[in-house]
Amino acid sequence: LNERFDMGGFFGAASKRDVVLDVFFGVDYHSHLGTRRAGMVFYDNGTFQRQIHSIENSPFRTKFEGDLADFHGASGIGCISDNDPQPLLVRSHLGTYAITTIGAINNAEELLQAEFDKGHQFMSRSTGNVNETELVASLINQRSDLISGIKYAQEAIEGSVTLLILTEDDAIIAARDKLGRLPVLIGKDEEGYAVSFESFAYQKLGCEK
């Protein structure tokens, strides 16, 4: 492979019960995969609750412990990244959803220019670069539903993108990159499901493959 994948990991859970601690510990178990940014988002009673922190100077657990009391929900996703702040919250004709991605978009500049030509705008980081997860969301939003949009984005992207989406239906959509080079692993227990970048994370929480 010629791609340089952005290091990172993600974890999500959907259950009949509150999943805040599951997602908190599940993301924390991926701490060895990223050292710069981390975030979690939950859906509860019609609202998304999200927090993103820098973890460059203190570990994930320390940064997010104080947020736990404010989080509630039977579905949620979180990530650790060495690159862009995420998960992002996106509002479009497809509804509002949260998205996190891992991978490498080798033709990002070409895709961005195509979006600029259509009149689309993006938030810019201090480096002048665009958050690649925002670019993926823009591609997804060009179709009439999330599944078609994910397929469209993965066909348009040269490289590899694996993602999680948390929807207003209390559901999590997980998609591996089109060539299956990055993992998406599913675990379950009696009350629900977990989706993880590494199976170790959900096994530690009592889920099985």
Side-chain angles (χ1 to χ4, degrees):
L1 293 180
N2 293 322
E3 293 104 323
R4 182 187 60 80
F5 293 116
D6 291 323
M7 290 298 291
F10 56 57
F11 188 90
S15 181
K16 297 175 183 177
R17 55 177 171 76
D18 191 278
V19 297
V20 170
L21 288 179
D22 298 72
V23 176
F24 173 70
F25 287 114
V27 175
D28 185 52
Y29 291 139
H30 290 86
S31 290
H32 59 289
L33 296 176
T35 59
R36 295 192 61 205
R37 305 274 190 273
M40 295 192 296
V41 58
F42 298 92
Y43 185 76
D44 184 52
N45 287 328
T47 62
F48 287 92
Q49 308 142 29
R50 184 186 66 147
Q51 191 61 260
I52 295 173
H53 290 300
S54 166
I55 54 171
E56 291 183 88
N57 297 317
S58 57
F60 172 86
R61 231 181 247 211
T62 302
K63 281 286 190 176
F64 283 87
E65 278 178 335
D67 300 318
L68 295 180
D70 298 323
F71 286 141
H72 306 281
S75 60
I77 62 175
C79 66
I80 278 183
S81 172
D82 264 347
N83 195 11
D84 298 324
Q86 44 176 325
L88 297 184
L89 274 176
V90 178
R91 183 178 180 183
S92 74
H93 70 288
L94 302 179
T96 302
Y97 60 88
I99 180 172
T100 183
T101 67
I102 299 172
I105 303 178
N106 299 330
N107 60 334
E109 288 302 319
E110 175 187 331
L111 293 173
L112 279 170
Q113 189 57 55
E115 295 298 285
F116 294 149
D117 291 344
K118 296 172 187 174
H120 296 172
Q121 298 177 345
F122 295 87
M123 298 296 292
S124 177
R125 297 181 303 182
S126 58
T127 59
N129 295 328
V130 167
N131 188 321
E132 289 192 351
T133 299
E134 185 181 0
L135 172 59
V136 174
S138 180
L139 295 170
I140 291 171
N141 292 338
Q142 294 182 35
R143 292 297 183 262
S144 60
D145 61 83
L146 287 170
I147 303 303
S148 298
I150 292 169
K151 291 179 179 178
Y152 171 73
Q154 290 181 328
E155 287 300 319
I157 289 167
E158 293 177 6
S160 183
V161 169
T162 289
L163 60 86
L164 294 183
I165 287 177
L166 176 64
T167 76
E168 294 176 292
D169 299 323
D170 244 353
I172 295 173
I173 299 172
R176 293 181 69 180
D177 65 281
K178 60 186 177 184
L179 296 179
R181 289 171 289 189
L182 294 173
V184 173
L185 301 165
I186 308 295
K188 64 178 180 178
D189 60 18
E190 294 179 353
E191 296 183 292
Y193 291 86
V195 57
S196 182
F197 193 69
E198 292 187 343
S199 59
F200 167 80
Y202 64 69
Q203 290 169 351
K204 289 281 285 184
L205 294 169
C207 290
E208 297 180 352
K209 208 169 181 181

